[in-house]
Amino acid sequence: MARTLIKATLMAATLLGAALVQGCAPVRDSYAARPADVYGTVTGQVVMLTRQALPEEAVIEVAILDDSNADPAPGILGNTLIEGQGPMPFPFSLTYRRDSLIPGHTYRVEATMAENGRVLYLAELPVTVSATPGPELSVGDLILRPAPPKPKSN
């Protein structure tokens, strides 16, 4: 009887220990635990045709924008910032949620180079991003050109 009680106690302690260890396992971030096919990726590189030093405080932003909105500010599906130091080209990889795409809308990838909030250079490229799982979309080179001057306000 004593042996049976000892075995039962050891078995209960083992099960309890296993449950405690499982309970201490790290919790996965729900964002990271989602299936990879929920996200799409657009890759490419930002280049300039002229060889010149970039301003010291230059920041390049690459974004996927929804062009279909009547609103002057298009919706942003994904973006990334690149510090403008170092040699060109600047490679980029953008991630977007496939379920944020709206059927019938048009999208573009846009790169801007700004210094102290003022856009100096701009590149735009219409793209077809996919709401269905598939390979990443490579847009190749986004060529920065001088940004058009802002209209003067009266």
Side-chain angles (χ1 to χ4, degrees), residues 6 8 14 26 39 41 68 71 74 77 80-81 87 89 100 103 109 115 129-130 135 141 143 149-150:
I6 291 173
T14 302
Y39 301 96
T41 304
S68 300
D71 187 348
L77 275 71
T80 188
L81 295 176
S100 65
V109 174
E115 179 182 29
V129 287
S130 177
D141 293 345
I143 301 171
K150 292 249 181 193

Side-chain angles (χ1 to χ4, degrees), residues 2-154:
R3 273 190 172 177
T4 305
L5 184 57
I6 291 173
K7 282 184 181 180
T9 303
L10 286 174
M11 182 173 275
T14 302
L15 290 174
L16 181 60
L20 287 173
V21 168
Q22 181 65 26
C24 293
V27 177
R28 285 188 159 174
D29 179 17
S30 61
Y31 185 78
R34 292 184 179 144
D37 62 0
V38 171
Y39 301 96
T41 304
V42 176
T43 62
Q45 59 185 9
V46 178
V47 299
M48 288 182 71
L49 295 179
T50 59
R51 289 193 173 264
Q52 65 185 45
L54 299 181
E56 207 172 290
E57 296 174 8
V59 176
I60 297 172
E61 179 178 18
V62 183
I64 303 171
L65 305 172
D66 183 344
D67 262 353
S68 300
N69 294 337
D71 187 348
I76 298 174
L77 275 71
N79 70 324
T80 188
L81 295 176
I82 305 167
E83 296 298 321
Q85 301 301 312
M88 285 275 188
F90 295 111
F92 67 86
S93 179
L94 294 171
T95 301
Y96 65 94
R97 287 188 56 95
R98 293 181 191 279
D99 60 2
S100 65
L101 299 176
I102 300 170
H105 278 214
T106 56
Y107 299 92
R108 77 175 188 268
V109 174
E110 178 182 273
T112 57
M113 182 178 54
E115 179 182 29
N116 299 322
R118 188 173 143 243
V119 175
L120 303 174
Y121 293 89
L122 173 70
E124 297 177 301
L125 180 67
V127 294
T128 302
V129 287
S130 177
T132 58
E136 70 182 31
L137 171 65
S138 175
V139 296
D141 293 345
L142 289 177
I143 301 171
L144 290 172
R145 296 179 179 7
K150 292 249 181 193
K152 293 183 181 181
S153 58
N154 296 346

